[in-house]
């Protein structure tokens, strides 16, 4: 009786498919702020910013979404390790802003009118230099369920 020689299974190469992907991580923080331009009069600030100019501040439960664009790494399949991205978002933004007064307690926001529009640009500037892989694609900050701002960097919206 002839025996068949068992062949070893072929060793598979770890690989990823070719294509550009956008991955997103979401973090939360709670903070107070006041929309106020100290270069303008109290009347102008009240008229322009309404209740958001309240002198004793007001707060939001912010949701920050950060999207990174790139091609999956052939060894890991990741555009960016989402655990690493989470750490960056917490260290650079969420932990710095959480339960703080954005106007007074966050050094990189001092002097800004802390509108959602300014915040997304400031957050981009804090996150982008620390990404280990991929390219920062979008920073979205939700101030409420109905109000949010998106920033796509100096190049503007691209391949949304």
């Amino acid at each position: 009786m002839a025996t068949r020689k068992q062949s070893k299974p072929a060793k598979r190469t770890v690989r990823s498919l070719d294509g550009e992907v956008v991955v997103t991580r979401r973090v939360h923080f709670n903070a107070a702020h006041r929309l106020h331009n100290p270069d303008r009069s109290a009347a102008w600030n009240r008229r322009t910013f309404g209740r958001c100019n309240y002198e004793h501040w007001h707060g939001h439960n912010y949701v920050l979404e950060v999207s990174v664009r790139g091609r999956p790494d052939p060894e890991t399949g990741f555009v960016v390790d989402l655990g690493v991205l989470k750490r960056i978002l917490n260290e650079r933004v969420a932990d710095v802003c959480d339960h703080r007064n954005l106007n007074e307690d966050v050094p990189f926001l001092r002097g800004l009118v802390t509108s959602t529009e300014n915040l997304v640009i400031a957050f981009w500037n804090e996150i982008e230099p620390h990404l280990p892989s991929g390219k920062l694609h979008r920073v979205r900050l939700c101030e409420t369920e109905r109000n949010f701002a998106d920033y796509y960097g100096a190049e503007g919206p691209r391949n949304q």
Side-chain angles (χ1 to χ4, degrees):
M1 205 170 6
T3 60
R4 271 172 56 180
K5 186 177 178 182
Q6 298 249 336
S7 61
K8 291 183 181 179
K11 187 175 181 179
R12 295 190 58 131
T13 303
V14 177
R15 61 184 173 87
S16 291
L17 297 174
D18 189 34
E20 193 169 72
V21 179
V22 176
V23 294
T24 302
R25 178 70 193 197
R26 181 181 296 151
V27 295
H28 305 86
F29 63 94
N30 305 306
H33 74 140
R34 179 186 188 200
L35 296 181
H36 184 79
N37 183 338
D39 297 332
R40 301 302 300 254
S41 70
W44 182 91
N45 276 286
R46 279 192 303 275
R47 197 171 49 253
T48 302
F49 298 121
R51 294 185 328 176
C52 295
N53 181 247
Y54 179 59
E55 65 182 308
H56 297 292
W57 320 98
H58 68 282
H60 297 284
N61 299 318
Y62 288 100
V63 177
L64 176 65
E65 293 180 359
V66 174
S67 299
V68 178
R69 183 179 74 236
R71 296 188 179 285
D73 178 271
E75 291 184 1
T76 65
F78 298 158
V79 170
V80 62
D81 182 323
L82 290 175
V84 171
L85 182 58
K86 174 186 173 183
R87 181 183 50 76
I88 292 166
L89 299 183
N90 284 325
E91 287 177 1
R92 304 305 305 180
V93 178
D95 293 347
V96 177
C97 295
D98 191 38
H99 287 81
R100 300 291 194 283
N101 179 315
L102 299 179
N103 301 74
E104 295 182 354
D105 298 334
V106 181
F108 69 86
L109 298 176
R110 283 205 183 103
L112 290 179
V113 175
T114 54
S115 64
T116 308
E117 296 87 338
N118 277 334
L119 293 175
V120 291
I121 297 169
F123 294 166
W124 177 288
N125 293 338
E126 286 297 304
I127 296 163
E128 196 273 334
H130 301 281
L131 283 180
S133 60
K135 180 168 173 42
L136 196 52
H137 175 70
R138 182 193 75 186
V139 173
R140 169 176 282 176
L141 183 65
C142 302
E143 187 177 73
T144 70
E145 288 183 9
R146 293 178 294 272
N147 299 333
F148 59 90
D150 291 333
Y151 184 62
Y152 293 88
E155 298 174 13
R158 215 181 79 129
N159 298 327
Q160 304 175 47

